[in-house]
Amino acid sequence: MSNWDTSLIRTYHDQTKHSFESVRTGAHVLDWMSQPLPFKIYDGGERIPLPEDVPGSSMPGLQAIAAAGHPVTGEVMPGLATLTTLLHHSAGITRKRDYGGGEIYFRAAACTGALYHIDLYLVSGDLPDLQAGVYHYGPHDSSLTMLRSGDYRPLLVEASAGEEAIAHAPAVVVFTCTYWRNSWKYQTRAYRHTYWDGGTILANFQSVAAAHQLPARLVMSFTDAPVNRLLDLDTEKEVTIALAPVGRAQAAIPGSTVHTPPLELSTQRPRREVDYPAIRAAHSASTMEFTGDVSRSRGPIAMDAPPQTSGPMFPLLPAEQLPDETIEGVIQRRGSTRKFAREPIGFNQLSAILRAATTGVQADFLHPHGANLCDLYLNVHAVDGLPPGAYVYHREQHALEQLKEGDFRNESGYLGLSQDIPADASADIFFLTNLDPVLERMGNRGYRAAQIEASITAGRCYLSAYAQRVGASGLTFYDDDVTNFFSPHAAGKSVMFLIALGKRAPRNRQ
Ligand SMILES: Cc1cc2nc3c(=O)[nH]c(=O)nc-3n(C[C@H](O)[C@H](O)[C@H](O)COP(=O)(O)O)c2cc1C
């Protein structure tokens, strides 16, 4: 299928929109007999336990989150300790909770339904304390499983059409998605969750990397098949979604095609899996076959200028002294807020969240002086110093423009899939993108980019909220109703993500 026939990805997006009616007519009953395992566990392969005591960073967490939006320069060779910190604080287990049938293992980043369909692999050259190879990260036992021995980075350089950060990277983390782990609950809409959860994980990843002064750019354009073969993925079920080169060496390695025979390694599989062809079709439609497609997808994306409006402007409050907790400490405490107190947060806190989360995303599809893909729309319910109402955020001016004044708690509850969380929150941030210019530049691959850029930004809102002891929760939404609510300003845009922010209700009220 062609990456450049953008009707294909539009069909997927339109068919997976939620509406009040679709949610009520499409009720889905979970089949507990086919509940997926939240980990990929190899039956064999050499296991390398990751070190337990690894040094943390010293930068204040909020500063690290903001720094994640800026390029990190200089040569840095990561060692196993730093890689361990990076992997653990992105996709590792941070909490366990008992429930009737067993234990849930919660992870460092918020992931839809706690189903954890994103896996991380490491493709490295020789590092000071790790031999060159291809490894799978196992959060369940905090280990690397060696899949191949030797330096396979030239394959990634070739697949990414010589992407600069990959060519200079001592190691590359490869992100994959196993569809069934999420489609078990969310069916066809799970393909959006691939990038939502990939994005929250990348928000942690890039923030932790920034705290350790480690370059960690996101690369979304690459030829898919060679990377999938490198990891020996069964692409009907698991696919590569993103590459993240880590560190920087002076010398660039040249790209080349590399022979990657199938691995003789089996993994634990669920008893039964249901295939959702629309997911595979959406992924296949955004697949790049040739490096020419990769090169063609790169270049500035000309986002439309925002409509001329003249609502009252509320500049963000200046930054105050930062809480000194490190990003690792913030991530360790993070968890989605299940109940908000309907009490105000400060405009200073909302300002700090917006400032830290919107410094940009280090990614191959964004240019240093180019536009970001997503726009932030807010419903403010209880923020001291900011009148309740609907707003759009102007990044360049660091200011919120009021689109309409009023108490929109009920409307927000409805827009967030008729749930209490967005109604009770102090503010809700909706991330919307005009897909037209993105798909025009990148083809269907732009859909992956747009989803993940919004999710990384939202993931950084999660972290900046927790850094200030403000609660947060990702949410799903009724697509067209959100666009209509913020129109005419938001006319033509698609909703990518929703996050609620606010004061957590005391536990005994949950
Ligand atoms: C993109 C996204 C959407 C979510 N949507 C909802 C939602 O609609 N309702 C809800 O109660 N929780 C929602 N959550 C919260 C997840 O259920 C939660 O992240 C997951 O259970 C893991 O828990 P933790 O975030 O506390 O680690 C969402 C999370 C994300 C990242």
Side-chain angles (χ1 to χ4, degrees):
M1 278 201 225
S2 169
N3 180 58
W4 305 102
D5 176 359
T6 55
S7 64
L8 299 170
I9 208 71
R10 285 189 187 280
T11 302
Y12 170 79
H13 186 71
D14 290 343
Q15 284 178 347
T16 55
K17 281 181 178 173
H18 273 336
S19 69
F20 185 81
E21 292 73 28
S22 75
V23 167
R24 270 138 201 94
T25 51
H28 171 59
V29 180
L30 291 179
D31 173 10
W32 291 97
M33 292 305 289
S34 60
Q35 183 184 13
L37 192 68
F39 304 108
K40 182 170 188 178
I41 300 178
Y42 287 87
D43 294 323
E46 186 193 335
R47 268 202 175 64
I48 301 165
L50 291 170
E52 279 177 24
D53 290 321
V54 292
S57 57
S58 54
M59 192 185 278
L62 261 179
Q63 192 183 327
I65 298 160
H70 301 295
V72 179
T73 50
E75 287 159 35
V76 198
M77 176 70 67
L80 199 52
T82 315
L83 288 172
T84 300
T85 283
L86 210 48
L87 295 169
H88 173 74
H89 291 99
S90 303
I93 295 170
T94 47
R95 283 179 296 137
K96 291 180 194 175
R97 191 180 302 151
D98 287 328
Y99 75 106
E103 269 184 323
I104 301 189
Y105 297 91
F106 289 93
R107 308 274 187 100
C111 288
T112 46
L115 292 166
Y116 306 113
H117 53 154
I118 307 299
D119 272 88
L120 272 47
Y121 297 74
L122 183 70
V123 178
S124 79
D126 275 324
L127 301 180
D129 43 8
L130 187 71
Q131 75 177 81
V134 179
Y135 301 88
H136 172 261
Y137 169 56
H140 62 288
D141 63 357
S142 189
S143 72
L144 294 176
T145 299
M146 185 186 250
L147 307 182
R148 299 184 194 274
S149 168
D151 191 352
Y152 286 86
R153 290 174 301 155
L155 180 151
L156 299 181
V157 177
E158 177 74 17
S160 64
E163 209 281 338
E164 216 263 337
I166 294 199
H168 285 270
V172 180
V173 174
V174 182
F175 290 61
T176 72
C177 160
T178 299
Y179 302 138
W180 174 241
R181 265 190 237 154
N182 201 268
S183 60
W184 171 69
K185 180 168 183 189
Y186 297 105
Q187 302 170 279
T188 307
R189 196 165 156 106
Y191 188 60
R192 298 188 187 201
H193 298 194
T194 296
Y195 302 99
W196 294 0
D197 296 354
T200 55
I201 292 172
L202 270 154
N204 287 24
F205 189 88
Q206 293 189 317
S207 301
V208 175
H212 289 265
Q213 279 99 39
L214 202 59
R217 191 171 159 82
L218 166 64
V219 175
M220 290 299 288
S221 286
F222 51 87
T223 50
D224 297 68
V227 185
N228 289 333
R229 272 198 301 271
L230 174 67
L231 307 179
D232 195 30
L233 305 183
D234 173 354
T235 54
E236 300 278 292
K237 300 178 187 327
E238 183 183 5
V239 290
T240 303
I241 59 159
L243 310 177
V246 178
R248 189 168 176 96
Q250 193 191 11
I253 53 169
S256 73
T257 51
V258 182
H259 180 55
T260 48
L263 299 170
E264 304 294 324
L265 285 174
S266 60
T267 56
Q268 295 180 21
R269 306 262 9 138
R271 259 171 286 194
R272 197 174 80 87
E273 291 179 49
V274 178
D275 180 36
Y276 288 94
I279 292 183
R280 287 188 292 103
H283 191 75
S284 162
S286 53
T287 289
M288 291 178 161
E289 213 175 321
F290 307 106
T291 48
D293 293 320
V294 175
S295 308
R296 181 177 160 189
S297 74
R298 298 215 174 104
I301 301 174
M303 301 304 285
D304 294 341
Q308 291 292 324
T309 45
S310 54
M313 295 293 273
F314 294 84
L316 297 189
L317 298 183
E320 295 173 347
Q321 202 191 342
L322 301 177
D324 55 14
E325 189 180 24
T326 62
I327 191 70
E328 290 92 347
V330 172
I331 289 172
Q332 196 59 42
R333 277 196 301 106
R334 191 213 59 80
S336 296
T337 303
R338 309 321 304 163
K339 173 89 185 150
F340 286 103
R342 285 201 171 218
E343 287 170 14
I345 58 169
F347 189 23
N348 57 340
Q349 292 173 312
L350 180 62
S351 297
I353 292 169
L354 291 172
R355 273 185 199 285
T358 61
T359 51
V361 174
Q362 286 300 305
D364 63 335
F365 56 87
L366 293 176
H367 283 251
H369 304 293
N372 296 282
L373 308 187
C374 66
D375 298 318
L376 278 62
Y377 289 84
L378 287 83
N379 271 347
V380 170
H381 310 135
V383 175
D384 279 336
L386 198 57
Y391 292 81
V392 62
Y393 180 52
H394 291 274
R395 290 176 189 244
E396 305 300 316
Q397 288 135 277
H398 298 293
L400 288 162
E401 179 188 348
Q402 194 181 68
L403 300 176
K404 45 190 172 184
E405 188 171 3
D407 175 351
F408 297 121
R409 281 196 188 274
N410 288 345
E411 289 79 355
S412 297
Y414 170 79
L415 296 174
L417 220 78
S418 309
Q419 299 181 79
D420 290 338
I421 293 175
D424 293 341
S426 305
D428 299 305
I429 309 182
F430 299 80
F431 298 77
L432 276 72
T433 300
N434 179 359
L435 286 172
D436 293 345
V438 185
L439 300 186
E440 193 180 314
R441 155 61 62 194
M442 298 184 68
N444 293 325
R445 194 62 151 230
Y447 187 70
R448 303 189 194 177
Q451 290 282 7
I452 213 154
E453 191 237 30
S455 311
I456 292 173
T457 312
R460 281 166 49 192
C461 289
Y462 245 113
L463 297 176
S464 349
Y466 272 82
Q468 301 176 88
R469 308 216 167 234
V470 169
S473 181
L475 291 164
T476 195
F477 42 81
Y478 298 135
D479 293 75
D480 289 342
D481 290 325
V482 174
T483 302
N484 291 337
F485 179 84
F486 290 105
S487 287
H489 198 285
K493 294 182 187 175
S494 300
V495 193
M496 301 281 121
F497 205 104
L498 165 58
I499 188 166
L501 307 168
K503 232 177 214 157
R504 279 166 279 172
R507 278 197 184 280
N508 59 11
R509 285 172 55 193
Q510 291 188 18

